[in-house]
Amino acid sequence: MSARASLRDFITASAPEAWEIYGYPTQLGPFEDASKPVAIVIEQRTMTAGRTSPDENGIPIDIELTVWVIVDATRGDNREQVENQLEDAAEQMILILEAIPDQWWDGVATRNQYDPQKPAYDFTIRAAGALTQEEQE
């Protein structure tokens, strides 16, 4: 299973039903489902040679993932409603991510924009992994 898929499953297990979760990078259009005003997008940003393999068998790699917490500002909500939804979602994500080890997430969420109409917070997750023999072929 990929790091993105593992993180998606971890977040999905604790996420509110009002979140649409994408375990891959995507170009989001306007959110169509009014009952899901928050999108979570998980992107793998980097993969580099690591120092140690967690299972001592494969080639070690370090992976950096970005978890975007996004609210669609094009739905007609006023700016205060959008900001409140975003802050609430970021706080919920912090509670979810607190369960992962400190060396993977440093506790930081950065205010950002996913695109010009979608204010967001992004969380950077770092993890160690290993490429197995099957993945190398």
Side-chain angles (χ1 to χ4, degrees):
M1 182 179 293
S2 75
R4 281 183 295 104
S6 295
L7 186 57
R8 180 202 59 220
D9 293 349
F10 175 79
I11 291 170
T12 300
S14 300
E17 288 188 22
W19 290 6
E20 188 72 44
I21 300 173
Y22 301 90
Y24 49 87
T26 186
Q27 181 66 37
L28 293 172
F31 297 3
E32 295 177 10
D33 187 346
S35 70
K36 294 189 180 250
V38 176
I40 308 299
V41 176
I42 302 168
E43 296 179 328
Q44 183 169 309
R45 289 297 185 108
T46 62
M47 182 186 310
T48 58
R51 288 184 226 132
T52 59
S53 173
D55 64 4
E56 301 300 326
N57 292 320
I59 297 171
I61 56 171
D62 291 328
I63 297 170
E64 184 177 281
L65 302 168
T66 299
V67 177
W68 292 92
V69 176
I70 308 159
V71 174
D72 189 353
T74 65
R75 297 177 347 128
D77 296 334
N78 69 41
R79 185 70 180 174
E80 185 174 355
Q81 288 173 309
V82 169
E83 291 297 322
N84 288 342
Q85 286 177 334
L86 180 59
E87 297 298 325
D88 290 345
E91 289 171 6
Q92 288 177 320
M93 183 60 74
I94 288 169
L95 293 173
I96 291 169
L97 295 179
E98 278 185 334
I100 65 175
D102 289 346
Q103 72 267 22
W104 289 9
W105 179 53
D106 60 8
V108 175
T110 305
R111 178 58 191 260
N112 215 326
Q113 285 194 147
Y114 192 72
D115 71 28
Q117 295 297 316
K118 295 181 180 64
Y121 274 92
D122 66 84
F123 299 75
T124 300
I125 310 297
R126 291 173 183 84
L131 295 175
T132 62
Q133 189 66 33
E134 298 83 40
E135 292 169 322
Q136 296 172 39
E137 296 174 350

